[in-house]
Amino acid sequence: MKLKELQDAMIAAMKAKDKFRKDAISALVSAVKKKGIDNGCRDNIPDEMANEAILKEIKSVKEQIDTCPADRTELLEEYKKRYEIMSEFAPKMLSAEEVKAILEEKFTDVLATKNKGQIMKAVMGELKGKADGKVINQVVAELTKYVRCIISDFEIHHQTASGRSPKAVFVPTSPVASLFSAFHEPQLC
């Protein structure tokens, strides 16, 4: 369906004699077809696969915009125009609130670990192509921030217990940490 939509837009651009628009859409059609051939589904390319190819092309154009020298204004304008045309065909991305809701609903067990690397690894499989990676990273950072704030309010003291290797003990250094430690025993790591 997505490939047909792209091809129809390309034909419309050809009929309107808009060469620049046709070329930009043609690049998307080529990327989608290549992705389909690479994955062995030449004729019936799923929309999800087409969206991945479109997002990859958009990302490469965005990188061209970012790396283009400022004094090359003609080239920069060309890249921006191509980016705008390609963005018309990009799938709708999830907002930060939607990402947060999905994380809290489906990934509560992984969020409980508060390990950002593990969370990102688990989440990206589900949300890749549906949400911007930067948005996902910001939401995960926000969800793990509370624990980091509490931990930063503790000092780590090393204790050696009768000839054993040193153990770390968290000692409160702020009023918030003192309140927290009133309800929890210091943890040996």
Side-chain angles (χ1 to χ4, degrees), residues 166-184:
K167 302 282 183 180
V169 178
F170 292 103
V171 180
T173 59
S174 73
V176 173
S178 297
L179 180 65
F180 182 78
S181 65
F183 296 105
H184 302 284

Side-chain angles (χ1 to χ4, degrees), residues 60-80:
S60 70
V61 172
K62 180 75 172 152
E63 288 172 358
Q64 288 175 331
I65 292 170
D66 293 340
T67 59
C68 184
D71 59 339
R72 304 273 319 263
T73 56
E74 288 178 13
L75 190 61
L76 190 60
E77 289 301 316
E78 182 181 318
Y79 290 153
K80 286 180 180 179

Side-chain angles (χ1 to χ4, degrees), residues 104-117:
E104 290 174 343
E105 178 185 323
K106 293 184 179 181
F107 296 98
T108 52
D109 55 333
V110 181
L111 286 173
T113 65
K114 300 294 182 188
N115 183 333
K116 190 174 177 183

